[in-house]
Amino acid sequence: MSQTSVADTLREYLSLLELLDDAYWEASSVHHKDMLYDIISIFNQEVAEMNKLSIMDHHYPYEVITEGIRRVVPKLERLDENREDVIQRTQTLTDFRDILSSVLGILEAQLATM
């Protein structure tokens, strides 16, 4: 499988962040909000570092930048397992399932090469 470009990865991460933000505001418990906030923080750090790259570098293959993103996969998998309880709105849940598989594919490909 070929690596995803920086631009494609950035687009996927930003889509996930938007959904996580929606899920955060829709969450009914503090525990769920804390879990979502933790994941949001990790992706915000990675996206901030990616945004420091030159736009001319966005066609290169993506490589993990921050340490936190290396450890986020188990958290995403836990969220996926509990998504019916954590994510309340049907539209957010449907969109989340679609984008999560893409993001996990990117991250698992990165972790496999390390």
Side-chain angles (χ1 to χ4, degrees), residues 4-33:
T4 309
S5 71
V6 171
D8 291 339
T9 301
L10 187 56
R11 186 172 29 261
E12 296 295 321
Y13 285 3
L14 289 172
S15 295
L16 179 65
L17 275 169
E18 185 177 328
L19 288 170
L20 290 171
D21 185 61
D22 289 345
Y24 175 85
W25 291 109
E26 296 162 9
S28 60
S29 78
V30 172
H31 173 72
H32 292 155
K33 286 184 181 289

Side-chain angles (χ1 to χ4, degrees), residues 31-54:
H31 173 72
H32 292 155
K33 286 184 181 289
D34 287 346
M35 177 176 55
L36 290 164
Y37 182 81
D38 185 38
I39 296 169
I40 290 168
S41 297
I42 290 168
F43 276 96
N44 273 333
Q45 288 175 328
E46 185 75 5
V47 166
E49 291 301 317
M50 291 172 75
N51 281 329
K52 293 178 184 177
L53 298 172
S54 167

